[in-house]
Amino acid sequence: MNTNEHRDNPEKVKLILEAAQKRFGAFGLMKTTMQEIASDLSMSKGILYYYFPDKEHLYKAVVEKEQNEFIKKFGKKLEKISDPEVMLSEYVEIRLSYFKTLINLNRLSFEASSNINNVLGDIWVEFRKKEVDIVKSILSKGKDQKVFKILDIDETASIFVDLLKGLRMVELHKKRIFYIDEDEYKVLKKKMKIFTELFIKGLKY
Amino acid sequence: MNTNEHRDNPEKVKLILEAAQKRFGAFGLMKTTMQEIASDLSMSKGILYYYFPDKEHLYKAVVEKEQNEFIKKFGKKLEKISDPEVMLSEYVEIRLSYFKTLINLNRLSFEASSNINNVLGDIWVEFRKKEVDIVKSILSKGKDQKVFKILDIDETASIFVDLLKGLRMVELHKKRIFYIDEDEYKVLKKKMKIFTELFIKGLKY
């Protein structure tokens, strides 16, 4: 949520975000227009612009929504699991599926993507902090239970998050656009699994 | 070496490549001119263009030279080491120092870099194969010596190379240009070390 106007009518903002999320998810940022989102809602384009100054800011709000959903979804999962090894594996899997959602929400060329990053600003920095916090809490649990042997939890969590991001980037950079199909997703998922198993084994007593 | 003309005078080509390597290393691709390289060699610009059609192709030849030097340097190191764990750690360290050399040879913005990648073509694909082969030979040695427990050597080697590349990319993408200073290099080196130790522990019986 970027602007004060959002407080006006949270229900309407919610509807707009849901419609935008669907459109961006199916067609990507570039091929979606504000008019289409308005039409999906039987709303005038003017109302859309009342809440969001442009498509990029609407996109930003959708990305933030997805980020919050990911954190919430993962928090719920975490409550049901007590084994830190399973937690870490689950985290990797949910994180990857979230990556796929976001990538396909974007579907931009790398060039176009660096423009939108100016609008997105620090939301990835904030998200990374939340990510590292999640991993830290899992590692701490593992340390407390004497499952993991870790000298520096902060450092280890940060490296783990970087390694996951790195693997995603390496796969994505083989391509010219930010898009990932089912087969590519499976390859990445397998790599993540093997890596996570090695990492967990590396952490263990 | 790209063109048949190189066979004319390998000694002269060697001198040009060394001069270009120094210039690119000190000032980067963008800020180096063919004229400067020619002047360093007390050579006419025309002679330079006789061997290399443009600066980009000269740059490509320098990158190939660096790649070959890395492979050779590492091959020599490897002969003296018998412990596969030490081999893998050495590999990571030499690979990182090579990355720094190459990055600083380039010093481009990401935008400019995608242009030069068209000229560089498949040389990175070839290099990656050589890299994976090196890691495979180390892992095989570890498996034979019953130090490492590995189901699929090809897959594990490929993931290891991707993880290293990923860590480098994550660090580099925090910046707007391809350049890495001493402090950033130290951070990356420490991360690589922690990761490699975890990876080795993960591989062990």
Side-chain angles (χ1 to χ4, degrees):
Chain A
M1 310 290 150
N2 309 304
T3 45
N4 288 331
E5 286 88 349
H6 289 182
R7 291 185 197 140
D8 278 357
N9 195 336
E11 202 44 55
K12 191 162 266 175
V13 170
K14 196 172 166 254
L15 284 174
I16 294 173
L17 288 177
E18 280 167 5
Q21 196 170 13
K22 272 184 206 154
R23 274 275 164 194
F24 292 141
F27 306 102
L29 172 62
M30 294 278 269
K31 285 188 180 156
T32 297
T33 65
M34 290 290 261
Q35 181 60 66
E36 283 163 342
I37 297 167
S39 300
D40 288 346
L41 292 161
S42 309
M43 215 179 249
S44 81
K45 216 165 66 168
I47 295 179
L48 218 57
Y49 280 108
Y50 172 74
Y51 291 102
F52 298 94
D54 51 39
K55 191 171 72 172
E56 286 67 29
H57 282 84
L58 176 51
Y59 179 77
K60 183 182 178 179
V62 170
V63 171
E64 282 181 306
K65 182 173 181 286
E66 296 263 11
Q67 286 185 347
N68 293 331
E69 281 168 3
F70 166 75
I71 300 288
K72 217 185 279 174
K73 189 176 165 184
F74 190 72
K76 272 187 196 159
K77 269 260 179 190
L78 217 61
E79 285 169 16
K80 293 178 201 141
I81 308 169
S82 57
D83 181 342
E85 291 183 45
V86 178
M87 276 181 181
L88 208 57
S89 302
E90 281 284 334
Y91 173 76
V92 174
E93 207 176 313
I94 300 176
R95 181 63 184 84
L96 184 63
S97 100
Y98 168 63
F99 166 72
K100 193 186 167 207
T101 307
L102 267 181
I103 282 302
N104 294 352
L105 209 60
N106 189 319
R107 286 181 202 221
L108 288 173
S109 66
F110 285 108
E111 292 72 24
S113 196
S114 67
N115 290 331
I116 184 74
N117 279 338
N118 294 332
V119 177
L120 291 179
D122 288 340
I123 68 170
W124 287 113
V125 177
E126 285 306 311
F127 183 69
R128 192 187 187 279
K129 280 183 199 154
K130 286 180 194 161
E131 266 202 282
V132 173
D133 282 344
I134 290 175
V135 174
K136 267 161 68 177
S137 76
I138 300 174
L139 296 182
S140 296
K141 212 161 276 191
K143 199 180 175 179
D144 293 346
Q145 296 181 16
K146 307 253 181 226
V147 178
F148 297 152
K149 192 179 170 180
I150 304 165
L151 287 178
D152 189 327
I153 285 184
D154 285 25
E155 201 168 51
T156 309
S158 162
I159 289 175
F160 186 71
V161 169
D162 280 352
L163 286 165
L164 290 182
K165 187 182 174 187
L167 269 189
R168 296 191 302 264
M169 282 173 82
V170 168
E171 286 306 309
L172 211 54
H173 269 249
K174 293 176 186 162
K175 304 159 64 91
R176 291 301 300 162
I177 57 157
F178 279 125
Y179 181 76
I180 195 157
D181 65 29
E182 278 307 316
D183 287 341
E184 291 161 337
Y185 184 70
K186 274 183 201 155
V187 169
L188 196 50
K189 200 167 172 177
K190 200 182 169 196
K191 283 191 180 179
M192 290 278 176
K193 200 169 172 282
I194 294 171
F195 157 65
T196 309
E197 283 166 3
L198 273 170
F199 195 88
I200 287 174
K201 216 182 135 216
L203 287 180
K204 282 176 97 172
Y205 265 99
Chain B
M1 311 287 151
N2 309 305
T3 46
N4 288 329
E5 286 86 351
H6 289 183
R7 291 182 197 143
D8 278 356
N9 196 335
E11 204 43 53
K12 191 160 266 172
V13 170
K14 196 172 165 257
L15 285 173
I16 295 172
L17 288 177
E18 280 167 5
Q21 197 170 13
K22 272 183 207 152
R23 275 274 163 194
F24 292 141
F27 306 102
L29 172 62
M30 293 279 269
K31 283 185 180 160
T32 298
T33 65
M34 290 291 260
Q35 181 61 63
E36 283 164 342
I37 297 167
S39 300
D40 288 346
L41 292 161
S42 309
M43 214 180 250
S44 82
K45 215 165 67 168
I47 296 180
L48 219 58
Y49 280 108
Y50 171 74
Y51 290 102
F52 298 96
D54 51 40
K55 191 171 74 172
E56 284 68 29
H57 282 85
L58 176 52
Y59 179 77
K60 183 183 179 178
V62 170
V63 171
E64 281 182 306
K65 181 174 181 286
E66 296 263 12
Q67 286 184 346
N68 293 331
E69 281 168 2
F70 167 76
I71 300 288
K72 217 186 275 175
K73 189 177 166 185
F74 191 73
K76 272 185 194 161
K77 269 261 182 190
L78 217 61
E79 284 169 18
K80 293 178 201 142
I81 309 168
S82 57
D83 182 340
E85 291 182 45
V86 179
M87 276 181 182
L88 207 57
S89 301
E90 281 284 334
Y91 174 75
V92 173
E93 206 175 313
I94 300 177
R95 181 63 184 85
L96 185 63
S97 101
Y98 168 64
F99 165 72
K100 192 187 169 208
T101 308
L102 268 180
I103 283 302
N104 294 352
L105 211 59
N106 189 319
R107 286 182 202 221
L108 289 172
S109 67
F110 285 108
E111 292 71 24
S113 197
S114 68
N115 290 332
I116 185 74
N117 279 337
N118 295 333
V119 177
L120 291 178
D122 288 339
I123 70 171
W124 287 112
V125 177
E126 286 307 310
F127 183 70
R128 192 188 188 277
K129 279 184 198 154
K130 286 178 194 163
E131 266 202 283
V132 173
D133 282 344
I134 291 174
V135 175
K136 267 162 68 175
S137 76
I138 300 173
L139 296 182
S140 296
K141 213 162 275 190
K143 197 179 176 179
D144 293 346
Q145 295 180 17
K146 306 254 180 227
V147 179
F148 297 152
K149 191 178 170 181
I150 304 165
L151 287 177
D152 189 327
I153 286 184
D154 285 23
E155 201 169 50
T156 309
S158 161
I159 289 174
F160 186 72
V161 169
D162 280 352
L163 286 165
L164 290 182
K165 188 182 175 188
L167 270 189
R168 296 191 301 266
M169 283 173 82
V170 167
E171 286 306 310
L172 211 54
H173 270 248
K174 291 175 186 163
K175 303 158 65 86
R176 292 300 302 163
I177 57 155
F178 278 126
Y179 180 75
I180 193 155
D181 66 29
E182 278 308 314
D183 287 341
E184 291 161 338
Y185 183 69
K186 273 182 202 155
V187 170
L188 196 49
K189 200 168 171 174
K190 200 182 169 197
K191 282 192 180 179
M192 289 278 176
K193 201 170 171 282
I194 295 171
F195 158 66
T196 308
E197 284 166 3
L198 272 171
F199 195 86
I200 287 174
K201 215 182 135 217
L203 286 180
K204 282 175 97 172
Y205 265 98

